[in-house]
Amino acid sequence: MQQPSRRKFLKNSTGALLGTMVPGPINYVWGAPVATLTVHPDQSLGEISPLIYGQFIEHLGRAIYGGIYDDQKHRFRPDVLEKVRDLHPPLLRYPGGTVTKIYHWKDGVGKHRPVRKNLIWGGLDNNHVGTDEFMQYCRQLGAAPFLTVNMSTGTAEEAAEWVEYCNGTGTYYATQRQKNGHAAPYQVRYWGLGNEEAAKEDAGTLQNPQDYIKKAWYYAKLMKLQDPSIQLILVGDKPDWNQQILQELHPICDYLSLHLYASSKPGDPASLFTSIAAMEASIKATAAQIKEYAPATVETFSKWYRFPPRQQPVKIAIDEWGIWEAGGRGAYNLEMDYTWNHALGVAAFLNMFQRHAAAIGLATWAQTVNVLAPIMTNETTSICQTIYYPLALYRKLCGPTSVAATIAGAEHLDVAASTDGKTLTVAIVQPRGQAIDIRLDAPTTGSWTAHELTAPSLESMNTLQTPDTNVVSYQKRALPYGTTTYTVAGHSIVLLQAPLR
């Protein structure tokens, strides 16, 4: 299968969700099933935020220049833009990441843009892509912008002026935005106060949580006074750090960040799923801390702050997540070839996000192009890696409400379920090689439809050396009316859908 253009993608790949029926034999048995999948649509686990399907770009290696942007032609790469659009990201995080510790937004606006050394990731940044270009990219994607401010080598005044530039009207920096050709405010809602500030190896001096708390209050005050409607993502870390942040900053903390990177042991693909299971433990622990230290509503908040407190319960922002293996290429060895095993891991992550929908408010895959990315480029072409396809499939099919689902007799299957009130969607990941029969116990009516992703082997991957070959196979199959048993293929991702009774 060729790496698709937008039209071909919509017809032949995950875009076949739009209606193409793929004929094929129905694998289902008449005997007793090996396992039972039970779904309870009446037991809600929480509303699934559409923002869990976000993406992330950073001034790092070839993520921006040579990735989303062609610096020779001074334009966004149309082949990459087409592929990112087909991911339908609702949210895009920028400019980092760790690079925010040395990034100054004023270098990236206007006609005169200084070339700076990237003190974090190496190389030079000519700042040809800055705030206005990022906003243009978000508009072309239909994604909400998410900006992270510099709390290390920057100032609170600088951060507040960035809010003014993006969201203001009639003031100095709002006028500068207008002079740069952008009359209407960008209305940036999501703002991160720093990034991984507890990391002692990085630039910055906020490794003590009390230092971060003191500075974050000051940033929040000046930024909120520019625009009281913005929502703040505060830095999370280990339990002691999180406790102090939540106890003292919860009135202004809309989201607490959590970064999750899974990996496998050399020669042991199955260990990836052990790593992902540990990520689930981190989500549970962070959610428990939020419940303990951040009341659902802010009862007392001085009017003299002159801006309101948060209006909703604190949620987790998994604003960096992904699979980070050793042995990559490029800057800091972060250009990685993803196998089908990694795609299975991505689907397991997304199932986990659904199961914990009540706690998770947003998530951004790190990153989008070339750096730990679903899309890879060279000078002449681009490809979708294996991990691209579950990202696209889940974003297209999964419903807005997470509901309870259990598996008995095959606990290694990773399962999540969602609904829009009319259709039930059950997502299944089979990380093992054998096929397994399951009985479908759910209050549905009509026929089930199976959306199946498979590949020839766990090691299968798409490469720039063979850009017209896609190892990922997608099939959409209508199961016969009355079918209550389904065969899950080995090493597969399946989304089953049926109308609710």
Side-chain angles (χ1 to χ4, degrees):
M1 186 183 295
Q2 292 184 345
Q3 283 291 337
S5 67
R6 180 176 173 87
R7 182 177 298 275
K8 290 180 180 178
F9 177 79
L10 291 176
K11 182 178 180 182
N12 295 330
S13 187
T14 48
L17 316 174
L18 299 180
T20 303
M21 292 298 294
V22 180
I26 304 299
N27 294 323
Y28 96 107
V29 298
W30 299 98
V34 172
T36 298
L37 173 65
T38 304
V39 184
H40 301 280
D42 58 333
Q43 296 181 18
S44 172
L45 302 181
E47 294 303 305
I48 301 171
S49 170
L51 300 180
I52 69 168
Y53 301 114
Q55 294 289 145
F56 171 34
I57 56 173
E58 181 173 2
H59 289 272
L60 194 177
R62 297 193 309 123
I64 292 179
Y65 304 110
I68 69 166
Y69 191 77
D70 185 335
D71 212 22
Q72 300 300 314
K73 296 181 179 180
H74 305 292
R75 67 173 187 177
F76 296 115
R77 286 186 57 151
D79 59 328
V80 173
L81 178 61
E82 178 180 70
K83 291 178 173 64
V84 181
R85 274 179 175 158
D86 283 335
L87 282 177
H88 301 289
L91 185 70
L92 191 62
R93 183 177 184 240
Y94 172 86
T98 308
V99 83
T100 57
K101 297 173 186 291
I102 54 92
Y103 182 80
H104 297 281
W105 71 269
K106 294 174 187 177
D107 289 343
V109 297
K111 295 181 179 180
H112 304 292
R113 304 194 182 186
V115 177
R116 304 286 191 192
K117 184 176 181 179
N118 189 326
L119 298 176
I120 300 296
W121 299 117
L124 301 178
D125 190 343
N126 58 29
N127 285 296
H128 289 172
V129 173
T131 301
D132 297 316
E133 290 75 23
F134 170 69
M135 297 299 173
Q136 179 187 349
Y137 204 66
C138 287
R139 283 199 303 271
Q140 293 191 45
L141 296 175
F146 170 6
L147 295 175
T148 304
V149 304
N150 181 344
M151 289 187 68
S152 298
T153 61
T155 66
E157 290 83 356
E158 179 183 8
E161 289 161 355
W162 202 5
V163 176
E164 178 188 347
Y165 183 88
C166 291
N167 295 359
T169 56
T171 59
Y172 176 79
Y173 283 104
T175 302
Q176 295 304 305
R177 184 195 68 239
Q178 293 173 329
K179 289 180 179 179
N180 291 335
H182 309 281
Y186 291 128
Q187 298 179 332
V188 180
R189 184 179 185 186
Y190 304 100
W191 294 82
L193 296 190
N195 176 82
E196 296 183 2
E197 298 301 327
K200 66 178 181 180
E201 297 85 1
D202 292 341
T205 60
L206 303 180
Q207 293 83 12
N208 184 306
Q210 289 301 315
D211 292 336
Y212 176 79
I213 289 166
K214 181 178 180 180
K215 200 165 187 178
W217 263 118
Y218 186 35
Y219 270 67
K221 290 173 183 177
L222 293 192
M223 293 169 69
K224 285 270 195 178
L225 289 169
Q226 286 287 356
D227 183 351
S229 71
I230 65 174
Q231 295 192 2
L232 301 179
I233 296 88
L234 303 189
V235 171
D237 196 69
K238 294 179 180 178
D240 178 65
W241 173 286
N242 291 347
Q243 177 180 341
Q244 294 182 63
I245 301 306
L246 290 168
Q247 285 177 324
E248 301 192 41
L249 292 176
H250 79 79
I252 56 168
C253 177
D254 295 285
Y255 301 88
L256 183 69
S257 74
L258 177 64
H259 291 180
L260 303 176
Y261 289 102
S263 62
S264 61
K265 297 178 182 178
D268 184 7
S271 63
L272 176 64
F273 299 91
T274 303
S275 179
I276 293 171
M279 307 291 104
E280 188 157 17
S282 296
I283 293 173
K284 290 179 179 178
T286 304
Q289 284 197 294
I290 290 173
K291 185 175 181 180
E292 182 175 1
Y293 300 114
T297 59
V298 181
E299 300 296 341
T300 58
F301 194 74
S302 174
K303 67 178 182 180
W304 297 111
Y305 282 115
R306 299 176 179 86
F307 57 83
R310 61 175 166 86
Q311 301 300 300
Q312 302 294 330
V314 178
K315 293 291 186 75
I316 297 172
I318 307 177
D319 52 6
E320 291 186 28
W321 73 277
I323 299 174
W324 187 340
E325 304 275 31
R329 305 175 303 280
Y332 282 79
N333 300 319
L334 291 173
E335 295 192 19
M336 189 183 150
D337 296 322
Y338 284 112
T339 66
W340 180 242
N341 191 61
H342 295 128
L344 295 171
V346 167
F349 257 118
L350 292 171
N351 282 357
M352 175 173 35
F353 293 170
Q354 289 191 39
R355 292 193 295 268
H356 298 281
I360 300 172
L362 65 83
T364 53
W365 171 276
Q367 294 188 19
T368 303
V369 185
N370 290 330
V371 174
L372 301 176
I375 300 167
M376 294 295 293
T377 72
N378 57 25
E379 292 182 357
T380 59
T381 193
S382 59
I383 63 165
C384 299
Q385 297 220 69
T386 57
I387 63 171
Y388 182 99
Y389 297 95
L391 289 171
L393 188 69
Y394 275 69
R395 291 171 186 186
K396 179 63 181 178
L397 293 183
C398 292
T401 302
S402 177
V403 297
T406 59
I407 188 82
E411 285 71 16
H412 65 278
L413 292 181
D414 193 284
V415 175
S418 61
T419 179
D420 61 2
K422 297 180 180 179
T423 301
L424 176 66
T425 302
V426 181
I428 306 170
V429 181
Q430 165 57 308
R432 298 183 184 177
Q434 71 273 26
I436 187 166
D437 305 318
I438 59 173
R439 187 173 74 86
L440 303 172
D441 181 8
T444 59
T445 184
S447 299
W448 287 91
T449 299
H451 302 265
E452 303 162 335
L453 292 177
T454 57
S457 73
L458 284 182
E459 294 75 31
S460 296
M461 64 178 70
N462 294 335
T463 69
L464 285 163
Q465 288 69 41
T466 57
D468 293 329
T469 300
N470 182 9
V471 301
V472 179
S473 174
Y474 167 78
Q475 284 193 325
K476 176 182 178 181
R477 302 193 284 118
L479 277 61
Y481 182 82
T483 296
T484 58
T485 304
Y486 175 79
T487 300
V488 182
H491 296 151
S492 69
I493 301 165
V494 181
L495 272 66
L496 297 173
Q497 290 190 307
L500 282 171
R501 188 176 301 157

